[in-house]
Amino acid sequence: MEPDTITDLEVDVYGIRLMEKYAKKLQYDNEQIEIVKEIANSIEIILQKHDIHSKSQQWDQEGTKLVNGEVILPKGMEEVLFEIIKENEFYNIFIPEKFGGMGYTPIIMGPILDILTQYDLSLQILITISLSVLEPLISNYKPGFEDTIQNFAKGKTTGYVAFTEPDAGSNLENVKSTSVLDGDEWILNGTKIFISNGGYANTGLFLAQNIEKGKSNGTNVFLVEGLDNIQILRLEEKSGLHANPTAQLQFDKDRKSTRLNSSHT
């Protein structure tokens, strides 16, 4: 029997209480809190409908595959992803009202994350990594970002964050990737490793040294759209979470980017 209300779900009660606590601090009223619970309930129903509890192990055994330069998700996973982010416009929850969204902050995602994780952690990562791209686009908003934000709202876009490198994991000041301004365009080069959603998601953030007159001067973060000039070198070997693509990516003279933020010396 499918649940009708959030109270019928096997979710972490602490997560719900935490969400309510922070929602009230953010001045959300009871009606808005109930909307979030209804969203969580809707996602639970989708996951139950597709019997994800049963499919999760199958997805992990099948894993993602790299075929002719394209990342292929396990059978049926993309269908569930699109039903959540496209048909139900999941990301629209976190997009400000001025862009046509609901204007919630990611901090209230407790019950939703809990539900997704209970069913399949790889699917949860596939969905929620995008918020790590969407949130900076909103906080560092430029007029050119509106189309990208709307693509997230409509579920046409998923995200990745390309910061980690072979010699720059926790210490991002060691990045070797470069960004050089050529006229009005930035040229990006570099190799990134252990990138969640890498090679599958089509919109990402890229961290690189800022090169001026042949010398490094701080770092830049770029919004990169599309997969042109990005080579998927390999899918990483992992002990688990095989259904989520984790890739090594080579950015080769990529010019389709917009500088999001910078830190110069």
Side-chain angles (χ1 to χ4, degrees), residues 3-265:
D4 294 319
T5 66
I6 194 73
T7 55
D8 294 322
L9 306 181
E10 294 181 0
V11 297
D12 182 1
V13 174
Y14 174 75
I16 294 175
R17 290 176 179 170
L18 191 65
M19 183 274 288
E20 290 178 335
K21 174 183 176 181
Y22 280 101
K24 288 176 180 177
K25 283 186 176 181
L26 294 167
Q27 298 183 336
Y28 295 145
D29 58 30
N30 289 334
E31 182 179 354
Q32 290 171 310
I33 294 172
E34 289 303 315
I35 289 172
V36 176
K37 292 180 181 179
E38 288 175 11
I39 292 167
N41 184 42
S42 298
I43 291 174
E44 168 93 0
I45 290 172
I46 292 169
L47 297 171
Q48 286 188 344
K49 180 179 71 174
H50 289 278
D51 193 21
I52 303 305
H53 272 315
S54 298
K55 290 181 179 177
S56 181
Q57 184 175 0
Q58 174 188 332
W59 284 352
D60 193 67
Q61 290 173 346
E62 182 179 345
T64 54
K65 294 179 174 62
L66 183 58
V67 181
N68 297 323
E70 181 181 359
V71 172
I72 307 298
L73 299 180
K75 183 179 179 181
M77 193 175 194
E78 192 168 65
E79 179 186 353
V80 180
L81 170 70
F82 286 162
E83 185 167 350
I84 292 172
I85 70 169
K86 194 170 186 178
E87 294 179 26
N88 287 273
E89 297 186 342
F90 175 76
Y91 299 130
N92 204 43
I93 303 167
F94 309 103
I95 291 173
E97 293 179 3
K98 65 181 179 180
F99 298 124
M102 298 176 67
Y104 289 95
T105 60
I107 202 169
I108 62 169
M109 276 196 63
I112 299 173
L113 283 174
D114 189 76
I115 290 168
L116 287 167
T117 302
Q118 285 186 41
Y119 280 82
D120 189 81
L121 183 55
S122 290
L123 179 64
Q124 186 256 86
I125 294 170
L126 188 64
I127 292 171
T128 57
I129 285 288
S130 295
L131 296 177
S132 298
V133 180
L134 182 58
E135 194 173 8
L137 290 184
I138 293 168
S139 59
N140 297 275
Y141 178 74
K142 297 178 182 179
F145 294 162
E146 184 160 0
D147 286 346
T148 307
I149 291 171
Q150 292 304 323
N151 284 337
F152 273 111
K154 296 172 183 176
K156 295 180 179 180
T157 294
T158 50
Y160 65 91
V161 178
F163 283 13
T164 304
E165 297 184 3
D167 297 315
S170 58
N171 186 359
L172 295 177
E173 291 183 356
N174 287 339
V175 294
K176 300 297 190 293
S177 296
T178 59
S179 56
V180 179
L181 186 60
D182 181 20
D184 294 330
E185 295 181 316
W186 287 93
I187 303 174
L188 308 183
N189 285 284
T191 301
K192 301 294 184 177
I193 63 172
F194 296 114
I195 307 304
S196 297
N197 293 3
Y200 177 79
N202 54 3
T203 301
L205 300 181
F206 179 88
L207 177 69
Q209 293 185 49
N210 177 58
I211 305 298
E212 296 178 353
K213 298 180 180 180
K215 296 182 179 180
S216 177
N217 182 19
T219 56
N220 293 323
V221 176
F222 293 89
L223 169 68
V224 179
E225 299 186 84
L227 294 172
D228 294 341
N229 300 319
I230 301 174
Q231 182 183 357
I232 307 166
L233 298 178
R234 56 172 284 180
L235 294 179
E236 304 283 11
E237 296 181 7
K238 301 180 294 183
S239 60
L241 299 176
H242 301 114
N244 180 263
T246 306
Q248 291 187 14
L249 304 177
Q250 174 72 47
F251 291 73
D252 185 16
K253 297 180 180 178
D254 186 275
R255 289 176 177 264
K256 293 185 177 181
S257 62
T258 304
R259 187 166 69 170
L260 184 70
N261 206 343
S262 62
S263 175
H264 294 169
T265 57

